[in-house]
Amino acid sequence: MNTSQGAKPPPPHAPQHPSAQRAPQGGLRTPSNRKTIYDRNLNRTRTAELSRASFAYLFSEMVSYAQKRVTGIQDLERRLNEQGYPLGLRLLPLLLYREPPRTALRPTRILPLLQFITTTLWKHLFGRPADTLERSSTTEDEYMVSDNEPLVNQYISVPKEMSQLNCAAFVAGVIEGVCDAGGLTAGVSAHNGGTEMWPGKTVFLIRFQEGVLEREGILEKVK
């Protein structure tokens, strides 16, 4: 018996809502208003603050990620430094953009750049200026920035066998990126400098390249 005779045709498929359609594979996903984070005003989050709990979780995950496949403490600190470096490259132009037009001048000398780092940069990252800025009395190309209680070290538990580890190497990378973005190339490292009053004190050692010092000398003579 032929059952096709008199049978009702299948109902047509209901049209799908555009929002229910499957997103294309690959490429940049954008919201329905077609705007991305790149469309935001750079001053929108100028005064926004990240909760310490969120920061502590995020940074601890960054340290755990950097700890994979390392050969020792120096290697781990190097990887933390490399994580902070790109952030520093972008922070200098961002913070200068947010400054009033009269003061938004890119630092071209060593001392103005270091003052920018210890005030504007430190306040943006940690809500306060750095504790001290010193120049080495023995080496012309070395400067030292001190932080008595680095925020990045307050939520990291370091085992005894890694007591020499200083996770503020991440901040050292940020400083190094800012220096390079300003055209004053330097190498920056973080060192434990704890005292009885400040056991968690960290000293950031900034070593400028020889070419930077030569240019500094020329500008000093012109002045």
Side-chain angles (χ1 to χ4, degrees):
M1 181 177 178
N2 189 355
T3 59
S4 61
Q5 294 181 358
K8 294 182 179 180
H13 293 288
Q16 291 185 341
H17 192 274
S19 61
Q21 295 178 358
R22 182 177 297 179
Q25 298 295 328
L28 179 65
R29 297 179 60 187
T30 58
S32 57
N33 60 6
R34 309 301 298 174
K35 291 185 178 181
T36 68
I37 190 174
Y38 301 106
D39 297 305
R40 274 187 204 167
N41 189 311
L42 291 177
N43 286 322
R44 179 177 176 180
T45 56
R46 182 173 183 173
T47 58
E49 294 185 359
L50 178 68
S51 69
R52 289 202 173 191
S54 299
F55 168 78
Y57 175 77
L58 177 62
F59 188 69
S60 63
E61 289 298 311
M62 292 173 61
V63 174
S64 298
Y65 177 80
Q67 195 174 0
K68 297 177 180 178
R69 298 183 300 276
V70 296
T71 58
I73 294 176
Q74 291 184 349
D75 193 22
L76 176 55
E77 290 183 343
R78 177 187 59 79
R79 296 192 67 178
L80 290 172
N81 184 291
E82 292 174 350
Q83 288 181 351
Y85 180 81
L87 180 61
L89 289 177
R90 290 162 177 77
L91 274 176
L92 178 63
L94 173 64
L95 295 179
L96 289 176
Y97 173 82
R98 289 177 172 176
E99 287 290 307
R102 294 182 179 180
T103 59
L105 299 176
R106 183 181 295 270
T108 57
R109 303 285 300 274
I110 291 179
L111 188 56
L113 177 65
L114 293 176
Q115 290 173 338
F116 175 87
I117 289 173
T118 55
T119 55
T120 305
L121 176 67
W122 232 258
K123 288 179 180 179
H124 174 74
L125 294 177
F126 310 118
R128 59 175 178 80
D131 292 297
T132 61
L133 169 61
E134 302 174 272
R135 184 174 184 176
S136 173
S137 58
T138 57
T139 309
E140 185 181 8
D141 62 343
E142 291 184 354
Y143 291 80
M144 291 160 287
V145 175
S146 298
D147 192 324
N148 292 335
E149 292 182 305
L151 180 64
V152 293
N153 289 345
Q154 293 182 18
Y155 305 100
I156 301 296
S157 179
V158 179
K160 292 182 179 180
E161 62 272 16
M162 300 179 67
S163 59
Q164 296 301 314
L165 172 65
N166 193 323
C167 292
F170 174 80
V171 180
V174 175
I175 299 173
E176 188 171 330
V178 171
C179 291
D180 286 5
L184 303 175
T185 309
V188 186
S189 53
H191 304 270
N192 295 320
T195 63
E196 184 177 355
M197 181 176 293
W198 303 107
K201 179 179 179 180
T202 293
V203 178
F204 299 94
L205 182 62
I206 306 173
R207 295 188 181 93
F208 288 98
Q209 290 189 355
E210 184 177 353
V212 175
L213 297 178
E214 291 177 356
R215 186 180 69 175
E216 189 78 6
I218 294 173
L219 293 176
E220 190 65 29
K221 292 179 181 179
V222 173
K223 181 180 176 181

